[in-house]
Amino acid sequence: MADLQQTVNGCVKRIVDLRSDTVTKPTLSMRQAMASSEVDDDVLGVDPTADRLQKQMAQVCGKDAGLFVASGTMGNLISVLVHCEVRGSEAIIGSESHIHLYEQGGISTLGHVYSHIVPNETDGTMDLTKVEAAIRANDVHFPTTRLICIENTHGSFGGRCISPEYTDKLGALAKRYNSKLHIDGARIFNAATALKVPVERLVQSADSVSVCLSKGLGAPIGSVIVGSFEFIAKARRLRKALGGGMRQLGVLAAPALISLNDIAGKLHIDHQHACLLAEGLCNVKGLHVDLGSVETNMVFAEVKEDSRLSAQQICEALKDHGVLVMALSKDKIRAVLHHQISQDDVKHAIVCFQDVLAQPTESNGCLS
Ligand SMILES: *Cc1c(COP(=O)(O)O)cnc(C)c1O
């Protein structure tokens, strides 16, 4: 894409940035919308553009109301803290979930919420029997289970989707035990797109959802949490306490409205590109990709044992070719598609992978 270029020694170098879907740059129309956005003071609850975004996201998700928050981490933190506001609460979370692994344990350190970890299956779900077994009996020895969290799509398993049927079962289970269900829906729009169901249907059984605007949706900043009027009223108070009350928020809400209106409907293109990339990488010597696991906009490639390079070394070599991907471990590489990656970019990336992993004598040296 035209705006993903780098100038090296006066020459324009093509950059294909697949590190994450968070790396997108605001489009020209987003910047224009930011410049002309109608704003007021959102801490006073009267910024019209923030209001429009929050209402639209709530509507898409089929919930009463929404609240713009600074990040997905803040969205999850506030959601968990609202559901677990009574001291002595416990939340059931997946062993490979973002909330458990990548949010500094904030729900415990800041919110005094005890985490009960249930293993994630490789499809991103948690075994319902194990979840039910983790729910605490009413006993003076135990904290009180007040919340179950799932992640959809699941980032640790290559962006796999959780079905509405499973979500409904988990929601019913939560309800039966007087608990709430929170969905970390950082990429819920990708899940809905892949499953061909409206977002509203997918989150029907959830009491709250946190949706990232700055992942596949391509907005520069922020997330929106949605839930009941009561939930959002409490969330708004907590957001202020955490320092997340923002004044002329319309400046950030305006590009997010463009995401919802123009980008959300095109996520299937990213998914097609992910398939194309996965198929291409399958044919690269030294790599293995489980094609069945590629459901949305992520591709996880395994570096085979007989590869002459580690994942880290492959990433370094690709970087010299302008292709940016992430090494998740010594034998796992992640590539994430987004709206600023074209089909041609994907084809170029595949050729670069082939070149980097070819035996030295086979190198066609065509990439610079
Ligand atoms: C990115 C992400 C978050 C956190 O979002 P930030 O905006 O980076 O704080 C939470 N959950 C999942 C699944 C994510 O992918």
Side-chain angles (χ1 to χ4, degrees):
M1 299 296 288
D3 49 2
L4 290 178
Q5 291 177 342
Q6 202 178 56
T7 306
V8 179
N9 299 332
C11 302
V12 174
K13 184 173 173 181
R14 178 182 197 166
I15 299 293
V16 179
D17 194 344
L18 303 166
R19 288 171 300 165
S20 176
D21 46 8
T22 57
V23 300
T24 57
K25 309 286 198 305
T27 61
L28 183 59
S29 64
M30 285 182 184
R31 290 175 190 267
Q32 285 166 342
M34 293 172 87
S36 62
S37 58
E38 196 189 338
V39 295
D40 201 336
D41 189 329
D42 185 63
V43 173
L44 303 181
V46 290
D47 184 286
T49 310
D51 198 45
R52 249 193 320 135
L53 172 69
Q54 290 167 169
K55 285 205 166 91
Q56 190 171 329
M57 186 65 91
Q59 192 190 11
V60 171
C61 295
K63 304 297 177 199
D64 290 346
L67 184 72
F68 187 104
V69 291
S71 66
T73 301
M74 185 184 264
N76 284 331
L77 178 64
I78 290 176
S79 300
V80 173
L81 265 54
V82 169
H83 293 307
C84 298
E85 63 186 343
V86 179
R87 187 177 284 269
S89 295
E90 180 173 79
I92 292 175
I93 57 182
S95 58
E96 311 307 316
S97 66
H98 199 281
I99 293 179
H100 178 48
L101 296 178
Y102 304 118
E103 298 181 10
Q104 284 191 19
I107 61 168
S108 302
T109 57
L110 302 171
H112 305 152
V113 178
Y114 197 67
S115 302
H116 197 145
I117 309 301
V118 170
N120 275 120
E121 306 300 317
T122 54
D123 62 0
T125 63
M126 296 177 284
D127 183 323
L128 290 170
T129 316
K130 289 179 189 166
V131 174
E132 186 162 8
I135 296 172
R136 304 288 192 161
N138 183 5
D139 181 308
V140 73
H141 295 89
F142 303 144
T144 307
T145 307
R146 287 204 168 81
L147 181 66
I148 301 171
C149 300
I150 51 161
E151 185 172 319
N152 196 8
T153 68
H154 206 298
S156 294
F157 299 103
R160 297 191 71 171
C161 314
I162 313 282
S163 72
E165 294 76 21
Y166 174 87
T167 309
D168 288 351
K169 283 184 198 158
L170 197 61
L173 180 64
K175 208 168 209 158
R176 199 145 25 95
Y177 287 92
N178 237 340
S179 282
K180 304 290 187 195
L181 177 64
H182 170 70
I183 299 180
D184 177 355
R187 297 187 180 85
I188 197 75
F189 279 78
N190 292 90
T193 302
L195 294 165
K196 298 190 167 68
V197 296
V199 174
E200 177 176 1
R201 169 66 192 91
L202 199 46
V203 304
Q204 188 176 291
S205 307
D207 297 284
S208 59
V209 189
S210 174
V211 184
C212 279
L213 301 164
S214 59
K215 300 270 167 93
L217 292 182
I221 295 167
S223 286
V224 177
I225 52 178
V226 296
S228 68
F229 289 120
E230 190 194 355
F231 169 84
I232 291 297
K234 289 179 176 176
R236 183 175 275 278
R237 282 187 61 83
L238 252 178
R239 183 186 66 171
K240 186 73 174 79
L242 291 169
M246 291 169 271
R247 301 292 179 175
Q248 281 67 48
L249 188 53
V251 171
L252 300 182
L257 279 162
I258 292 183
S259 293
L260 277 187
N261 294 325
D262 296 352
I263 297 177
K266 294 181 188 151
L267 295 177
H268 62 281
I269 298 171
D270 299 342
H271 300 178
Q272 286 162 5
H273 289 166
C275 285
L276 184 68
L277 179 64
E279 283 161 14
L281 297 189
C282 260
N283 297 318
V284 172
K285 192 179 297 185
L287 292 184
H288 170 75
V289 181
D290 174 10
L291 290 178
S293 73
V294 181
E295 296 181 0
T296 56
N297 66 332
M298 288 187 196
V299 178
F300 280 13
E302 242 173 80
V303 181
K304 289 185 190 161
E305 260 179 39
D306 59 0
S307 164
R308 61 188 185 86
L309 299 174
S310 70
Q312 195 63 50
Q313 288 169 320
I314 293 169
C315 292
E316 285 300 315
L318 283 168
K319 198 171 167 188
D320 291 337
H321 293 312
V323 174
L324 311 180
V325 293
M326 218 181 246
L328 294 180
S329 62
K330 69 177 197 324
D331 60 359
K332 205 187 275 178
I333 293 172
R334 186 185 84 163
V336 188
L337 284 297
H338 51 77
H339 79 105
Q340 285 171 341
I341 296 294
S342 67
Q343 186 175 319
D344 203 51
D345 288 331
V346 173
K347 289 179 181 166
H348 176 70
I350 294 168
V351 174
C352 290
F353 265 98
Q354 280 164 346
D355 192 71
V356 161
L357 279 151
Q359 296 305 322
T361 48
E362 295 171 33
S363 173
N364 57 20
C366 67
L367 304 153
S368 54

